[in-house]
């Protein structure tokens, strides 16, 4: 059987990884095959019209599945391939363009022309591979990604837990607060009033969990009703709190408590998935195409540098975001907490994905000084220490510059201005400094968290409020937001290492932090 390499599927072993040998041939695994879209041309045309700022009526999930899901002949071709390779079809979704196949390592090696390996890295072992995935000719034009063969941890959460090291308190009569509740921040950023009734915010989580008693206690302490929180299992993952506030529980609960505080009348659907490329994408597509919970906003606080991803995964995730905006869903993504390097130790600048997708609202971070009544000052979040971090931001090496960023410049560390030729990150920002962070309750512990992980659900809460007031999904926000000069509070001081803040858009805080009522005004309020 003639095989062809799947474009963009190449994997390489990261630095510091040691190959222990071949993976156990008897190990069973599941692999997600992502298929081409039906009528891809019309979907591309629709996305282009939205990108140009045209306000189109969102497609229903049923309409999208019918117009742009996978075709039955393509799904049947994958079934036949699975049968020929003695693989089992365990899940099919035409809307998500996904077919999940199960089999042993030995069978997957034969089916996809790979040699799966047992690899060791600092935090444990994983199943890895090198080189491209191989496809037979009959699937060459049908399958656009094969995910899950490699199960290395794909992403990290973007939160920072405040430690004992804090900033000296002011002696002024009304000193700035050193932490805030999400409701205080919503007030400081002048969010329009709405409780989120009828909305659903989707949270994508790749580990950890929450304890219902913590949520009940937290929302009671704020004096707001507890939102309905719905755990959704993706690829066999589940709500599994670890008991460690500094672990993934911190991410899960931070996301719930920030978004739920701002829209307590909304439902919060938490999509738990394995921390793999397959799990991450499956969580996003499951949320976007969920006909039961019907999220209007997706908030993602996990990511990794673009250099850590395969091209096939970035393309598939970006297409999933395009599907979301076609259905009127806004996708808010944290931009990272490791400054302009994004934690890559090669001395170069890097941006975080999936924040770098032009179809995601990339959320950067600021350091906010404010009393309970007013903002005193706001600058780029950069604590200057690896433990406390700095906002991510920079220029993508994968995605071209979108039309709404055409002509913009990034200001580098020396003050030089370079016109964007690729996608600039982030789009917007808000408070992310753990020293001026968010008061939350995790695993029975009251703590203060920062990181751009808090900014994504904060913006998601704002979008959900706007959706209530406009009675429609905001969808693709950037084409409407970028032409407005005053919808965000421009941040002009600070840097994230490789880039400086400047008047207008910059590669530290984007357009700036929200002026909620002005953001709402661009949607017709």
């Amino acid at each position: 059987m003639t095989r062809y390499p799947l474009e963009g599927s190449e994997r390489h072993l990261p630095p510091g990884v040691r190959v222990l040998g071949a993976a156990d041939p008897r190990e069973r695994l599941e692999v997600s095959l992502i298929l081409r879209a039906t009528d891809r041309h019309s979907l591309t045309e629709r996305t282009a019209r939205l990108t140009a700022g045209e306000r189109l009526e969102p497609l229903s999930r049923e309409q999208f599945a019918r117009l742009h899901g996978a075709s039955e002949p393509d799904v049947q071709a994958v079934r036949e391939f699975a049968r020929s390779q003695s693989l089992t079809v365990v899940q099919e979704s035409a809307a998500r363009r996904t077919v999940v196949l199960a089999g042993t390592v030995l069978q997957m090696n034969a089916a996809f022309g790979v040699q799966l390996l047992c690899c060791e890295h600092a935090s444990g072992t994983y199943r890895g591979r090198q080189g491209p995935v191989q496809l037979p000719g009959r699937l060459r034009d049908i399958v656009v990604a094969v995910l899950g063969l490699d199960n290395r941890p794909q992403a990290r959460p973007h939160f920072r837990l405040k430690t004992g090291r804090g900033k000296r308190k002011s002696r002024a009569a009304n000193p700035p607060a050193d932490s805030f509740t999400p409701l205080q921040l919503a007030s400081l950023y002048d969010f329009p009033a709405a409780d989120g009734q009828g909305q659903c915010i989707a949270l994508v989580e790749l580990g950890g969990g929450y304890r219902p008693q913590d949520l009940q206690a937290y929302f009671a302490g704020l004096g707001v009703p507890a939102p309905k929180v719905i755990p959704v299992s993706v690829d066999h993952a589940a709500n599994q709190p670890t008991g460690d506030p500094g672990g993934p529980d911190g991410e899960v609960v931070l996301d719930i408590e920030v978004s739920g505080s701002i829209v307590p009348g909304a439902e919060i659907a938490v999509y738990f998935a394995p921390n793999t490329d397959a799990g991450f994408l499956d969580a996003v597509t499951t949320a976007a195409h969920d006909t039961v919970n019907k999220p209007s906003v997706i908030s993602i606080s996990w990511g990794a540098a673009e250099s850590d991803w395969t091209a096939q995964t970035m393309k598939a995730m970006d297409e999933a975001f395009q599907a979301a905006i076609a259905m009127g869903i806004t996708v808010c993504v944290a931009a990272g907490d490791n400054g302009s390097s994004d934690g890559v130790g090669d001395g170069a600048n890097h941006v975080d994905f999936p924040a770098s997708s032009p179809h995601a609202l990339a959320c950067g971070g600021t350091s906010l000084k404010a009393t309970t009544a007013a903002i005193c000052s706001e600058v780029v979040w950069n604590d200057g220490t690896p433990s406390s971090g700095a906002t991510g931001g920079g220029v993508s090496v994968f995605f071209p510059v979108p039309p709404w960023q055409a002509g913009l410049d990034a200001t580098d560390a020396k003050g030089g201005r370079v016109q964007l030729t690729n996608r600039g990150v982030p789009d917007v920002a808000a408070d992310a400094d753990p020293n001026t962070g968010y008061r939350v309750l995790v695993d029975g512990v009251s703590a203060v968290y920062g990181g751009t992980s808090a900014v994504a659900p904060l913006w998601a809460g704002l979008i959900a409020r706007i959706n209530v007031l406009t009675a429609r999904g905001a969808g693709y926000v950037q084409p409407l937001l970028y032409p407005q000069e005053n919808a965000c509070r421009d941040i002009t001081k600070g840097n994230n290492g490789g880039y400086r803040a400047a008047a207008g858009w910059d590669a530290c805080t984007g357009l700036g932090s929200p002026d909620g009522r002005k953001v709402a005004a661009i949607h017709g309020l």
Side-chain angles (χ1 to χ4, degrees):
M1 177 173 58
T2 304
R3 295 181 179 276
Y4 302 88
L6 174 57
E7 183 180 358
S9 66
E10 296 82 5
R11 273 286 198 187
H12 306 282
L13 295 180
V17 169
R18 186 164 66 99
V19 175
L20 302 179
D24 182 351
R26 299 164 297 178
E27 179 188 356
R28 293 194 65 81
L29 62 147
E30 294 183 1
V31 174
S32 295
L33 275 64
I34 314 303
L35 313 187
R36 64 187 175 185
T38 301
D39 197 1
R40 176 67 199 173
H41 175 74
S42 67
L43 180 57
T44 301
E45 183 179 282
R46 183 181 186 86
T47 302
R49 292 172 66 186
L50 291 170
T51 301
E54 192 171 343
R55 301 194 183 197
L56 303 177
E57 188 67 26
L59 298 174
S60 70
R61 286 172 168 83
E62 293 76 14
Q63 286 175 318
F64 186 93
R66 185 174 66 254
L67 295 172
H68 305 301
S71 71
E72 175 56 28
D74 284 357
V75 174
Q76 180 58 31
V78 174
R79 293 190 197 110
E80 293 172 358
F81 167 74
R83 190 179 307 114
S84 72
Q85 299 296 315
S86 300
L87 301 174
T88 303
V89 176
V90 296
Q91 187 182 128
E92 294 178 1
S93 172
R96 295 172 50 223
R97 298 165 35 215
T98 301
V99 179
V100 180
L101 304 181
T104 65
V105 163
L106 184 64
Q107 291 169 324
M108 294 295 182
N109 283 343
F112 296 105
V114 296
Q115 181 63 49
L116 297 179
L117 307 167
C118 180
C119 301
E120 182 180 55
H121 61 115
S123 58
T125 60
Y126 69 88
R127 188 180 60 248
R129 63 178 178 84
Q130 298 187 75
V133 171
Q134 304 282 339
L135 293 175
R138 56 185 162 170
L139 297 186
R140 187 181 184 184
D141 296 325
I142 293 174
V143 175
V144 298
V146 177
L147 309 178
L149 291 167
D150 183 313
N151 70 344
R152 73 183 70 181
Q154 182 59 66
R156 58 180 178 268
H158 291 319
F159 73 87
R160 295 296 175 116
L161 177 59
K162 182 179 179 180
T163 61
R165 179 184 178 275
K167 295 182 178 178
R168 185 179 301 171
K169 291 193 175 182
S170 169
R171 295 182 181 179
N174 189 18
D178 60 3
S179 62
F180 306 91
T181 69
L183 284 175
Q184 288 173 330
L185 288 169
S187 177
L188 289 167
Y189 288 132
D190 200 21
F191 284 16
D195 69 355
Q197 189 69 38
Q199 298 295 302
C200 176
I201 293 178
L203 305 176
V204 171
E205 305 296 351
L206 306 179
Y210 64 88
R211 304 191 313 171
Q213 61 267 37
D214 287 337
L215 303 184
Q216 292 292 336
Y218 180 76
F219 292 114
L222 290 182
V224 299
K228 182 179 181 181
V229 180
I230 306 164
V232 181
S233 175
V234 178
D235 296 347
H236 313 294
N239 176 30
Q240 294 181 322
T242 65
D244 178 10
D249 291 2
E251 184 58 72
V252 175
V253 179
L254 177 66
D255 289 347
I256 295 172
E257 292 179 349
V258 171
S259 58
S261 300
I262 296 169
V263 282
E267 294 182 345
I268 310 295
V270 189
Y271 296 80
F272 290 100
N275 187 6
T276 63
D277 57 3
F280 202 158
L281 179 65
D282 287 347
V284 170
T285 58
T286 298
H289 297 280
D290 187 341
T291 57
V292 176
N293 298 304
K294 300 180 179 179
S296 58
V297 190
I298 299 174
S299 179
I300 301 172
S301 295
W302 300 70
E306 287 182 328
S307 56
D308 291 341
W309 297 80
T310 60
Q312 63 166 351
T313 312
M314 288 195 284
K315 181 180 177 183
M317 187 78 78
D318 181 60
E319 289 180 352
F321 293 163
Q322 290 182 55
I325 63 174
M327 295 182 285
I329 303 166
T330 306
V331 184
C332 303
V333 184
D337 298 347
N338 290 287
S340 60
S341 73
D342 204 36
V344 181
D346 62 359
N349 292 323
H350 295 265
V351 292
D352 209 73
F353 180 83
S356 65
S357 163
H359 302 101
L361 184 70
C363 300
T366 69
S367 181
L368 179 74
K369 290 183 179 180
T371 65
T372 55
I375 294 173
C376 303
S377 67
E378 195 167 15
V379 299
V380 176
W381 167 44
N382 185 349
D383 191 61
T385 64
S387 60
S388 292
T391 182
V395 182
S396 171
V397 297
F398 188 80
F399 295 100
V401 63
W404 32 266
Q405 285 188 331
L408 296 181
D409 296 328
T411 303
D412 64 25
K414 296 181 179 179
R417 300 181 70 87
V418 180
Q419 185 168 319
L420 292 181
T421 55
N422 277 17
R423 156 76 157 135
V425 177
D427 297 306
V428 294
D431 184 32
D433 185 345
N435 292 307
T436 64
Y438 298 64
R439 296 197 288 271
V440 296
L441 177 65
V442 182
D443 292 325
V445 177
S446 293
V448 175
Y449 284 75
T452 56
S453 278
V455 183
L458 185 79
W459 269 89
L462 171 59
I463 297 299
R465 285 193 182 189
I466 292 171
N467 288 346
V468 171
L469 297 171
T470 59
R472 61 172 289 158
Y476 201 10
V477 173
Q478 294 99 308
L480 303 178
L481 191 59
Y482 270 77
Q484 306 300 317
E485 293 184 358
N486 300 314
C488 291
R489 302 180 72 257
D490 195 8
I491 310 301
T492 59
K493 293 184 179 180
N495 68 84
N496 67 353
Y499 297 95
R500 288 186 189 177
W505 180 89
D506 57 64
C508 297
T509 58
L511 298 170
S513 61
D515 185 322
R517 293 184 186 277
K518 290 181 179 178
V519 174
I522 70 174
H523 293 278
L525 292 181

